[in-house]
Amino acid sequence: MDLANRNVVYLGGFGGIGQQCVQELLQKQLKSLAIFDLMENDKILSTWQQNYPQTDIFYHKVDITKKSNIEAAYKATSEHLNGHIDVVVNGMGLMNDRHIELTIEINLLGVIHSTLTALEYMSKPKGGQGGLIVNISSVAGLQPTPLMAIYSAAKTGVTTFTRAMANPFYFSHSGVGFITICPGFTNTALLDDIDNKTTFTYRTPMHDIFPMVKRQNANDCARNLIKSIEEGHNGDVLMLELGEITKVDIPEMWKPQLEQ
Ligand SMILES: NC(=O)c1ccc[n+]([C@@H]2O[C@H](COP(=O)([O-])OP(=O)(O)OC[C@H]3O[C@@H](n4cnc5c(N)ncnc54)[C@H](O)[C@@H]3O)[C@@H](O)[C@H]2O)c1
C-alpha cells in the first residue's frame, strides 16, 4: 500500500517501537495520523506536529482495557477525519506475567476489540473504503516462550486471531486486509526488569539466557514494519528479527472432514 495521503491510526504510538514507527510513517506524507495511547507525550507530539505540518497529527487517550475508550476514540477519529480510516496498527503491549488478567486484556482482548471496532469504520458494507489492519504479535506468538508463558499465550492468540481475520471471504466482503507482525527482541522498556515479570518467581536457566539474546534496535524494527505495510499482502505473518523481514509459513494442521 502506498501510504501517501492516507489516514492512519497507531495504537501505542508513544511506546519504544511505536515512536520509531510514527517517525517512519511521518516521512510518507500521510494525510493524518491518530495516536491512541494510555498517556499523552505532549512534548513528542508537538515536535512531530511542528516537523510535519502537512500531516494532521492528533492524540486520543485510550486505555485499551476499556472497550468504551476504544469505541469513543474510533468514533471521534472518524468524525475528526470526516472520512475513512485506511490503516490501523495495533501496537500497544505489556510484558509482565505477574499480572495475568492485564496481560491478556492489553495484548489479546485489546487487539480484538480495537480490530472489531476499526472494522465498523473501515469495512466496505459499513460505508468504509477497506484498508489494512496490522496487529503486532511477537516471536513469542510463534514459538512458546516458557519464561513468559502468559504473554506468549496472549501473543499466540494475536497471531491466530489475525490470521483468522485474513480469511479470503472476510477480505472480499470487507476490503480490509490483515498482517501479523512478529518482532524479535527489540531494545525498548518492555524488556526491562525481566526478573520481576516472569511467569514463576523461582530461578531457571532461561533467566540467564534472556540478557544474552541478540536484540535489534527499535528503528530497524520500525523501518521493516513500515516496509511490511507498504509491501505486505493480506494474511502475511512477518517476523521482524535482527533487522530482517522473514515471511513465516505456518503449516495447515487440520482440515475439517465433511460428511458426504
Ligand atoms: N520490545 C520487544 O522486544 C518486542 C518484541 C516483540 C513484540 N513486541 C511488541 O511490540 C509492541 C510495542 O512494544 P514496545 O517494545 O514498544 O513496548 P513499550 O513498552 O515501549 O510500548 C508499549 C506501548 O503500549 C502502550 N500501552 C500499554 N498499556 C496500555 C493500555 N492499557 N492502553 C493503551 N496503551 C497501552 C504504552 O503506553 C506504550 O505506548 C507490543 O505489542 C509488544 O508486545 C515487542
Side-chain angles (χ1 to χ4, degrees), residues 12 14-17 37-38 62-65 91-93 106 136-138 151 155 183-186 188 190-191:
F14 292 128
I17 292 174
D37 210 325
L38 193 54
V62 172
D63 178 347
I64 201 71
T65 67
M92 63 284 161
I106 293 176
I136 303 190
S137 177
S138 168
Y151 177 78
K155 289 297 189 179
F185 279 41
T186 308
T188 72
L190 192 98
L191 302 182

Short mmCIF file of all heavy atoms in Angstrom, two decimals, residues 12 14-17 37-38 62-65 91-93 106 136-138 151 155 183-186 188 190-191, ligand 1:
data_model
loop_
_atom_site.label_atom_id
_atom_site.label_comp_id
_atom_site.label_asym_id
_atom_site.label_seq_id
_atom_site.Cartn_x
_atom_site.Cartn_y
_atom_site.Cartn_z
N GLY A 12 -0.52 2.77 20.68
CA GLY A 12 0.77 2.58 21.33
C GLY A 12 1.85 3.39 20.65
O GLY A 12 3.03 3.03 20.70
N PHE A 14 3.28 6.11 21.39
CA PHE A 14 4.32 6.74 22.21
C PHE A 14 5.26 5.72 22.84
O PHE A 14 6.13 6.07 23.65
CB PHE A 14 3.69 7.62 23.30
CG PHE A 14 2.99 8.84 22.76
CD1 PHE A 14 1.68 9.12 23.12
CD2 PHE A 14 3.63 9.70 21.89
CE1 PHE A 14 1.02 10.25 22.63
CE2 PHE A 14 2.99 10.83 21.38
CZ PHE A 14 1.68 11.10 21.75
N GLY A 15 5.10 4.44 22.53
CA GLY A 15 5.97 3.39 23.07
C GLY A 15 7.31 3.34 22.33
O GLY A 15 7.54 4.12 21.40
N GLY A 16 8.17 2.42 22.75
CA GLY A 16 9.51 2.33 22.17
C GLY A 16 9.47 2.05 20.67
O GLY A 16 10.08 2.79 19.87
N ILE A 17 8.78 1.01 20.25
CA ILE A 17 8.66 0.70 18.82
C ILE A 17 7.70 1.70 18.17
O ILE A 17 7.94 2.18 17.06
CB ILE A 17 8.17 -0.76 18.62
CG1 ILE A 17 9.25 -1.75 19.09
CG2 ILE A 17 7.80 -1.02 17.16
CD1 ILE A 17 8.84 -3.21 19.08
N ASP A 37 -3.18 6.18 22.81
CA ASP A 37 -2.26 5.63 23.81
C ASP A 37 -2.81 5.95 25.19
O ASP A 37 -3.70 6.79 25.33
CB ASP A 37 -0.84 6.20 23.62
CG ASP A 37 0.25 5.21 24.07
OD1 ASP A 37 0.00 4.48 25.05
OD2 ASP A 37 1.32 5.18 23.45
N LEU A 38 -2.24 5.26 26.17
CA LEU A 38 -2.71 5.41 27.55
C LEU A 38 -2.42 6.81 28.07
O LEU A 38 -3.22 7.40 28.76
CB LEU A 38 -1.99 4.36 28.41
CG LEU A 38 -2.48 4.09 29.81
CD1 LEU A 38 -3.96 3.75 29.84
CD2 LEU A 38 -1.67 2.95 30.42
N VAL A 62 -6.56 6.47 25.16
CA VAL A 62 -7.24 5.17 25.14
C VAL A 62 -6.58 4.24 26.15
O VAL A 62 -5.37 4.00 26.07
CB VAL A 62 -7.16 4.51 23.73
CG1 VAL A 62 -7.71 3.08 23.78
CG2 VAL A 62 -7.92 5.31 22.69
N ASP A 63 -7.39 3.77 27.09
CA ASP A 63 -6.95 2.63 27.90
C ASP A 63 -7.53 1.42 27.18
O ASP A 63 -8.76 1.22 27.18
CB ASP A 63 -7.46 2.74 29.34
CG ASP A 63 -7.04 1.53 30.17
OD1 ASP A 63 -6.58 0.53 29.60
OD2 ASP A 63 -7.21 1.60 31.40
N ILE A 64 -6.66 0.64 26.58
CA ILE A 64 -7.09 -0.45 25.70
C ILE A 64 -7.86 -1.55 26.46
O ILE A 64 -8.52 -2.38 25.85
CB ILE A 64 -5.87 -1.02 24.92
CG1 ILE A 64 -6.30 -1.76 23.66
CG2 ILE A 64 -5.01 -1.91 25.81
CD1 ILE A 64 -6.81 -0.91 22.57
N THR A 65 -7.80 -1.51 27.80
CA THR A 65 -8.56 -2.49 28.58
C THR A 65 -10.03 -2.06 28.71
O THR A 65 -10.83 -2.79 29.27
CB THR A 65 -7.96 -2.68 30.00
OG1 THR A 65 -8.13 -1.47 30.74
CG2 THR A 65 -6.48 -3.05 29.94
N GLY A 91 -0.45 -1.58 18.13
CA GLY A 91 0.95 -1.71 18.55
C GLY A 91 1.18 -1.50 20.03
O GLY A 91 2.32 -1.33 20.47
N MET A 92 0.07 -1.51 20.83
CA MET A 92 0.28 -1.39 22.29
C MET A 92 0.68 -2.76 22.84
O MET A 92 0.50 -3.78 22.17
CB MET A 92 -1.00 -0.86 22.98
CG MET A 92 -2.20 -1.77 22.87
SD MET A 92 -2.93 -1.67 21.23
CE MET A 92 -3.91 -3.16 21.16
N GLY A 93 1.18 -2.78 24.06
CA GLY A 93 1.55 -4.07 24.63
C GLY A 93 2.08 -3.94 26.04
O GLY A 93 2.45 -2.86 26.50
N ILE A 106 -4.61 -6.42 27.72
CA ILE A 106 -3.92 -5.46 26.85
C ILE A 106 -3.49 -6.13 25.54
O ILE A 106 -3.78 -5.63 24.45
CB ILE A 106 -2.69 -4.84 27.56
CG1 ILE A 106 -3.16 -3.95 28.72
CG2 ILE A 106 -1.82 -4.04 26.58
CD1 ILE A 106 -2.05 -3.36 29.56
N ILE A 136 0.41 -6.22 15.99
CA ILE A 136 1.77 -6.58 16.42
C ILE A 136 1.68 -7.73 17.43
O ILE A 136 1.15 -7.58 18.53
CB ILE A 136 2.53 -5.38 17.02
CG1 ILE A 136 2.60 -4.24 15.99
CG2 ILE A 136 3.94 -5.82 17.44
CD1 ILE A 136 3.52 -3.10 16.36
N SER A 137 2.17 -8.88 17.00
CA SER A 137 2.30 -10.04 17.85
C SER A 137 3.75 -10.06 18.35
O SER A 137 4.27 -9.04 18.81
CB SER A 137 1.93 -11.30 17.06
OG SER A 137 2.10 -12.46 17.82
N SER A 138 4.44 -11.17 18.18
CA SER A 138 5.81 -11.30 18.70
C SER A 138 6.36 -12.64 18.23
O SER A 138 5.59 -13.53 17.82
CB SER A 138 5.75 -11.30 20.24
OG SER A 138 6.97 -11.70 20.80
N TYR A 151 2.26 -14.09 28.50
CA TYR A 151 2.49 -13.17 27.37
C TYR A 151 2.51 -13.97 26.07
O TYR A 151 1.90 -13.58 25.07
CB TYR A 151 3.82 -12.45 27.60
CG TYR A 151 4.26 -11.51 26.50
CD1 TYR A 151 3.70 -10.24 26.36
CD2 TYR A 151 5.27 -11.87 25.60
CE1 TYR A 151 4.13 -9.37 25.36
CE2 TYR A 151 5.71 -11.00 24.61
CZ TYR A 151 5.13 -9.75 24.49
OH TYR A 151 5.57 -8.89 23.49
N LYS A 155 0.10 -13.51 22.87
CA LYS A 155 0.62 -13.18 21.54
C LYS A 155 0.28 -14.27 20.52
O LYS A 155 0.03 -13.98 19.35
CB LYS A 155 2.14 -12.95 21.61
CG LYS A 155 2.52 -11.66 22.32
CD LYS A 155 1.99 -10.43 21.58
CE LYS A 155 2.52 -9.12 22.12
NZ LYS A 155 2.02 -7.96 21.38
N PRO A 183 7.81 -9.18 15.93
CA PRO A 183 9.19 -8.73 16.17
C PRO A 183 9.93 -9.71 17.09
O PRO A 183 9.34 -10.34 17.96
CB PRO A 183 9.00 -7.39 16.89
CG PRO A 183 7.58 -7.00 16.69
CD PRO A 183 6.83 -8.28 16.54
N GLY A 184 11.24 -9.80 16.86
CA GLY A 184 12.11 -10.47 17.82
C GLY A 184 12.48 -9.48 18.91
O GLY A 184 11.94 -8.36 18.97
N PHE A 185 13.44 -9.84 19.77
CA PHE A 185 13.85 -8.95 20.87
C PHE A 185 14.24 -7.58 20.31
O PHE A 185 15.10 -7.49 19.43
CB PHE A 185 15.04 -9.54 21.63
CG PHE A 185 14.69 -10.60 22.64
CD1 PHE A 185 13.74 -11.57 22.37
CD2 PHE A 185 15.34 -10.64 23.86
CE1 PHE A 185 13.41 -12.55 23.30
CE2 PHE A 185 15.03 -11.62 24.80
CZ PHE A 185 14.07 -12.57 24.52
N THR A 186 13.61 -6.55 20.84
CA THR A 186 13.83 -5.18 20.35
C THR A 186 14.09 -4.29 21.56
O THR A 186 13.33 -4.35 22.54
CB THR A 186 12.58 -4.70 19.57
OG1 THR A 186 12.25 -5.68 18.57
CG2 THR A 186 12.83 -3.36 18.90
N THR A 188 13.63 -1.92 23.93
CA THR A 188 12.68 -0.93 24.47
C THR A 188 12.50 -1.23 25.96
O THR A 188 12.98 -2.26 26.45
CB THR A 188 11.28 -1.03 23.80
OG1 THR A 188 10.65 -2.22 24.27
CG2 THR A 188 11.35 -1.02 22.29
N LEU A 190 10.06 -2.41 27.32
CA LEU A 190 9.31 -3.66 27.51
C LEU A 190 10.19 -4.77 28.07
O LEU A 190 9.72 -5.64 28.82
CB LEU A 190 8.72 -4.10 26.16
CG LEU A 190 7.68 -5.22 26.20
CD1 LEU A 190 6.27 -4.62 26.15
CD2 LEU A 190 7.84 -6.17 25.02
N LEU A 191 11.48 -4.74 27.72
CA LEU A 191 12.39 -5.82 28.13
C LEU A 191 13.10 -5.53 29.47
O LEU A 191 13.91 -6.34 29.91
CB LEU A 191 13.44 -6.07 27.04
CG LEU A 191 12.92 -6.43 25.64
CD1 LEU A 191 14.09 -6.71 24.69
CD2 LEU A 191 12.00 -7.64 25.69
N1 LIG B 1 10.32 -4.90 22.58
C1 LIG B 1 10.30 -6.14 22.18
O1 LIG B 1 11.30 -6.89 22.33
C2 LIG B 1 9.09 -6.69 21.50
C3 LIG B 1 9.21 -7.94 20.86
C4 LIG B 1 8.09 -8.48 20.24
C5 LIG B 1 6.90 -7.79 20.25
N2 LIG B 1 6.81 -6.58 20.87
C6 LIG B 1 5.50 -5.92 20.85
O2 LIG B 1 5.64 -4.67 20.20
C7 LIG B 1 4.65 -3.76 20.71
C8 LIG B 1 5.34 -2.49 21.18
O3 LIG B 1 6.19 -2.84 22.26
P1 LIG B 1 7.40 -1.91 22.78
O4 LIG B 1 8.57 -2.77 22.89
O5 LIG B 1 7.44 -0.67 22.01
O6 LIG B 1 6.88 -1.64 24.28
P2 LIG B 1 6.74 -0.29 25.09
O7 LIG B 1 6.52 -0.71 26.50
O8 LIG B 1 7.86 0.63 24.81
O9 LIG B 1 5.41 0.35 24.49
C9 LIG B 1 4.14 -0.19 24.79
C10 LIG B 1 3.07 0.79 24.39
O10 LIG B 1 1.80 0.24 24.76
C11 LIG B 1 1.07 1.24 25.45
N3 LIG B 1 0.13 0.65 26.41
C12 LIG B 1 0.43 -0.15 27.48
N4 LIG B 1 -0.69 -0.39 28.17
C13 LIG B 1 -1.71 0.25 27.54
C14 LIG B 1 -3.09 0.38 27.79
N5 LIG B 1 -3.70 -0.18 28.86
N6 LIG B 1 -3.84 1.11 26.93
C15 LIG B 1 -3.26 1.71 25.86
N7 LIG B 1 -1.95 1.62 25.57
C16 LIG B 1 -1.19 0.91 26.42
C17 LIG B 1 2.13 2.04 26.19
O11 LIG B 1 1.63 3.28 26.64
C18 LIG B 1 3.19 2.15 25.12
O12 LIG B 1 2.91 3.19 24.23
C19 LIG B 1 3.92 -4.53 21.81
O13 LIG B 1 2.77 -5.15 21.27
C20 LIG B 1 4.93 -5.60 22.20
O14 LIG B 1 4.30 -6.71 22.81
C21 LIG B 1 7.88 -6.02 21.48
#
